[in-house]
Amino acid sequence: MIRDQAIVAAAPPYSQSPKRGKDMAMIRNDPARVAFACILAVAGASCDAAGEAPVAVDAPQVAEAQVLDGLPLGPGFYVRTDAECGAASSATLALVRRDGIGECSFVRIERIAESRYRVEESCRNRQAPPGREHERDEFTQAYEILAEDRYRITFEYGESAEFRFCPQQSLPDPWRGNDISDVTG
């Protein structure tokens, strides 16, 4: 069984996002999806003889989860490591704010290991139908902080992405000229 505290994640694309509850139980009970998770070896995942995918966390554990006010990341634009800063797009760029990342706001942050954090987030659903734009989706994500300017996120369904800080002047328009001091200051 996959242990929630060892999943490293952030808001997945809404079209691929499994909902909590019934859908997450379906993923845990689907041998093909569990096998896929085992192949990925996300966060040290491995399969046991029963086909379950326990997740081993290699980082030193914190004696008790600590609740924090924020993640140890500097504010500003972060771009996926598989894209150049100068070629960033809305698909590869995330704005780290003091109260959230991208379309998500932090609700609760727990430090669960030396550099790993479980984060409850409330995210704007950009695919909501007209009249329901105010609705938000709730996710429990976990982040691994690789350095003060770099992080990895692994989504609930197993995909992961790594982001690095990019100075704003190195980004293409329109991000290069945006005044983001109101959300990063």
Side-chain angles (χ1 to χ4, degrees):
M1 164 182 317
I2 297 175
R3 294 185 192 103
D4 291 336
Q5 68 269 18
I7 296 174
V8 180
Y14 293 104
S15 62
Q16 299 175 5
S17 169
K19 298 289 183 193
R20 288 194 196 172
K22 181 177 74 170
D23 291 342
M24 285 306 294
M26 178 186 74
I27 288 172
R28 280 192 216 86
N29 294 324
D30 181 342
R33 291 184 181 175
V34 169
F36 181 70
C38 296
I39 291 169
L40 290 176
V42 174
S46 62
C47 293
D48 63 14
E52 293 191 0
V55 177
V57 177
D58 296 333
Q61 295 295 307
V62 175
E64 187 174 308
Q66 301 167 322
V67 177
L68 305 173
D69 292 331
L71 291 173
L73 289 169
F77 289 107
Y78 287 68
V79 175
R80 286 179 63 124
T81 56
D82 58 357
E84 296 296 324
C85 293
S89 69
S90 59
T92 62
L93 182 126
L95 176 59
V96 174
R97 309 178 319 275
R98 60 183 170 266
D99 65 343
I101 296 178
E103 299 286 336
C104 300
S105 298
F106 300 141
V107 174
R108 180 182 170 93
I109 300 171
E110 293 178 303
R111 182 175 173 208
I112 59 172
E114 189 64 33
S115 62
R116 296 175 191 226
Y117 301 82
R118 180 178 31 242
V119 180
E120 293 177 25
E121 295 176 309
S122 175
C123 304
R124 185 173 81 114
N125 184 342
R126 299 183 77 191
Q127 296 179 345
R132 295 177 48 189
E133 298 88 358
H134 67 282
E135 291 183 8
R136 300 187 65 83
D137 291 321
E138 302 294 321
F139 297 95
T140 298
Q141 318 294 11
Y143 291 83
E144 181 178 3
I145 308 303
L146 304 171
E148 64 186 32
D149 62 350
R150 190 178 198 95
Y151 69 93
R152 178 181 302 126
I153 185 167
T154 304
F155 303 98
E156 290 178 345
Y157 56 89
E159 181 181 331
S160 65
E162 196 170 306
F163 289 81
R164 71 180 176 301
F165 176 80
C166 286
Q168 189 170 359
Q169 64 273 17
S170 70
L171 299 172
D173 286 328
W175 302 286
R176 182 182 317 143
N178 285 354
D179 178 8
I180 58 172
S181 62
D182 61 327
V183 295
T184 61

